[in-house]
Amino acid sequence: MQFSKIFNGRLLMYLIFWAVSFYVCLELFSRNNEIQLIDVIYAFLFHIPMVFAVTVHSLHHIQNFLAKQRFLVYGFMLFFLVIATFFLYEFTFGPLSKWLFPDFYLVGVFSPAEVLGFTLIYLILSSSLEFSRTWFGEIKARTRVAELETEKTLSELKALRAQVNPHFLFNSLNAIYGESLKGSDKTPKLILQLSDMLRYVLDKMDLDKVPLEEEVTYLKNYIDMQKRRLDHPEKVQFNVVGEIAENEISPLLLINFLENCFKHADLQDVNGFITIDLRVNDGSLELSTRNTILKQIDTLDSGTGLGIGNAQKRLELAYPDAYTLNLSDDGTLYELNLRMNLLA
């Protein structure tokens, strides 16, 4: 065991413990109101066997036997330690005291039963210190682990949000590129709208929560930009109901679900459509999307792709056990239903 580790709290704890013990013993051995040299000598000699017992018990017996649940061995070792402490007490007030303090006539003032009693008291008190130190150490360790888990979660969320930007940008540029090939006068407006949306992404990406109202505005801008390139924008419906202004949400969390609709929807078909409903009530958010499916698309981005897969990971990190996500695909219609507790 390194000295630096012992000194960090443990040594200071025992220094205080023995200082208090020494003061109490001075009062115990003092014959009058004034502490004399003989009282200091008696307190010093009394502490030699007690320090021995506590040190062996704290540094060896607790760690090697009690902590490892070797209770039978611990009981035997504790018994021998108490007996050894008694013989050390006799030796301390016998040959050792004559050698250290030849000018004083010193004898032990406690009976064997009292010495054994004092030893047990010191062992109990020191064990309480050890257990409290271990308990506080475990609390500190658990707190640190929780902090590391939080830091890890935030790092993962930031990494996943960073994926949103290029994914969204790729899809949006494709849409603008398509309009530019047509020579459409919608192109400048789309570029300006894309610029505003990218500014929102850069400003909000590293935040833990943002006002839901701002996030909904971002979603509306995205849908509006997508509708600008459609011949029949009325095929896309976005409905928002509820207490939008009174809640917060993890930023850029819902955009992937909307992107998925436009990526796979068959809006060229006469019956094609996209319907997006967002409802908020009492801190609970429900997002429902329905869209027809392009016939040439066999498998949708329904959990394994970048978009939905990214969103699912972020939901698990930001709202663990506080959401449900259901996806369905019958070959012609794709439906998504997300329910989440914004207060989690």
Side-chain angles (χ1 to χ4, degrees), residues 173-198:
L173 288 177
N174 269 344
I176 295 174
Y177 175 69
E179 292 300 313
S180 67
L181 289 179
K182 301 175 186 177
S184 173
D185 58 0
K186 300 177 182 178
T187 303
K189 294 180 180 179
L190 289 173
I191 294 175
L192 183 60
Q193 200 161 22
L194 176 61
S195 174
D196 291 337
M197 295 179 67
L198 287 177

Side-chain angles (χ1 to χ4, degrees), residues 35-187:
I35 297 176
Q36 300 178 358
L37 178 59
I38 189 67
D39 302 323
V40 176
I41 293 174
Y42 261 105
F44 169 74
L45 293 175
F46 173 79
H47 275 83
I48 291 177
M50 297 301 122
V51 170
F52 163 78
V54 168
T55 301
V56 172
H57 184 254
S58 298
L59 298 183
H60 185 266
H61 288 9
I62 290 180
Q63 295 184 13
N64 293 288
F65 305 127
L66 190 59
K68 297 180 180 179
Q69 299 184 355
R70 300 170 62 185
F71 300 120
L72 184 60
V73 178
Y74 171 76
F76 279 114
M77 297 302 294
L78 181 62
F79 172 77
F80 288 117
L81 178 62
V82 172
I83 299 301
T85 302
F86 169 73
F87 283 108
L88 181 58
Y89 177 85
E90 294 293 324
F91 173 78
T92 300
F93 280 94
L96 184 61
S97 64
K98 293 178 182 179
W99 177 66
L100 292 176
F101 307 104
D103 297 332
F104 292 86
Y105 177 72
L106 303 168
V107 294
V109 296
F110 296 115
S111 67
E114 290 173 326
V115 173
L116 296 178
F118 275 118
T119 302
L120 291 175
I121 290 174
Y122 272 88
L123 292 180
I124 292 172
L125 291 175
S126 61
S127 296
S128 299
L129 289 176
E130 285 292 324
F131 295 149
S132 64
R133 184 183 68 86
T134 302
W135 183 68
F136 282 114
E138 289 182 355
I139 291 179
K140 184 178 180 180
R142 290 175 183 173
T143 302
R144 180 54 182 161
V145 168
E147 291 174 352
L148 291 175
E149 288 292 335
T150 300
E151 293 175 4
K152 179 184 177 183
T153 298
L154 291 176
S155 296
E156 291 179 1
L157 278 171
K158 289 181 180 179
L160 290 169
R161 287 171 188 163
Q163 294 178 10
V164 171
N165 191 7
H167 190 245
F168 154 76
L169 185 59
F170 176 78
N171 291 340
S172 300
L173 288 177
N174 269 344
I176 295 174
Y177 175 69
E179 292 300 313
S180 67
L181 289 179
K182 301 175 186 177
S184 173
D185 58 0
K186 300 177 182 178
T187 303

